[in-house]
Amino acid sequence: MTLQQIKYAIGIASCKSFNKASEKLYISQPSLTSSIHDLEDELGFPIFNRTSRGTNLTEKGGRFLADAKKLYDEYESLLKKYVVGEKKTFSVSALYYAFARKAFVKIVKEYSGEGYDFAFCEKKASLVIADVALGKSEIGILYLSDSNRESILKSLKSNNIDFHHLSECNSFVYLHKNHPLAKKESVSLDELSPYRFVTFDTDDVKSFFSDDVIERYGLNQAITVADRATELNLLKTLDGYTFLSGVFAEETNEDFVLVPLKNLDDGLCHSFELGYITKNDVKMNALCQSYIDAIRRILNIEGFVC
């Protein structure tokens, strides 16, 4: 069995035709057919069913090709990294933080002429961790709270990821500027009870409150949306609200305001630790360090690297 034969099999499965695959792979159809016959003889079972209506995988052929494709993908990744040359990328996964977006834009401007592929994604905490664990993002931005600290740190440890402290941060209620509570100095859960809770991460509220509080105030009956734009539209049209953890001065959308959230004892919540995560076996390069420094400058945090 050769990698070339696996490539041919993948191509045929994709095209569902020996004829189309031969054109796509730049090989004559007789040579392609002969190569697959040799592979099937070696394996001892047919990979494809050939019919007048096209070519389909056999059941065993499908299982084989699923495993073989993983091997071929690893080969292409190795080839790209050490033979063709690794493409420079920089990707960040973050919770919804304006400062993270601002810092990313700054880095893109600064490094735009150096051939990087840039990516920035806003996701729930579990997906931020997954992106860093899988190497899809060099850096993740999230927070720890009394409620989520144990589970988040456990997940980070199991994925060989380190959490790096940036700052302590407060709890806020996010409202449209015309919301009846928008001009208050702080807001309690009792004051929010007549209004609709909107979120695109149903797990996020568990970082703010216990299960008992969530049930008592109906926070488990949130309007759940798939993107931030829809969430903001509902906050405006329904006089809805959501919760954010972060620095008050970070948000710049003039149509919305951040109002400090009162704790159940009427004190203000100060229970969040803002930070960034990285793989513990990967050394941060100069671009990553510049990104973290950009965040520190935006949030007026000491401890610049560059």
Side-chain angles (χ1 to χ4, degrees), residues 33-48:
T33 301
S34 175
S35 180
I36 294 301
H37 277 154
D38 289 343
L39 176 58
E40 290 177 324
D41 287 343
E42 182 179 352
L43 293 172
F45 58 84
I47 302 173
F48 298 102

Side-chain angles (χ1 to χ4, degrees), residues 93-95 97 99-100 128 139-144 156 162-169 245 272-278 291-292 295-296 299 301:
S93 292
L95 302 181
Y97 280 130
F99 69 79
V128 170
I139 292 176
I141 307 294
L142 45 72
Y143 64 83
L144 302 177
L156 296 180
D162 291 331
F163 179 87
H164 310 270
H165 174 85
L166 280 171
S167 178
E168 299 298 324
C169 53
S245 60
F272 295 89
E273 180 184 2
L274 180 68
Y276 64 96
I277 58 174
T278 60
Y291 176 70
I292 296 303
I295 288 177
R296 291 182 182 277
L299 300 181
I301 301 172

Side-chain angles (χ1 to χ4, degrees), residues 1 57 61 66 73 86 113 118 125 163 166 171 238 265 289 299 304:
M1 183 191 310
L57 287 164
D73 287 344
E86 188 174 14
F118 294 97
F163 179 87
L166 280 171
S171 307
L238 297 181
D265 60 2
Q289 292 171 345
L299 300 181
F304 300 115

Side-chain angles (χ1 to χ4, degrees), residues 102-125:
K102 290 179 186 177
F104 184 79
V105 171
K106 182 180 185 302
I107 292 302
V108 171
K109 289 180 179 178
E110 185 176 343
Y111 288 84
S112 61
E114 299 191 17
Y116 280 91
D117 278 350
F118 294 97
F120 182 88
C121 300
E122 291 179 334
K123 301 183 175 183
K124 62 197 308 185

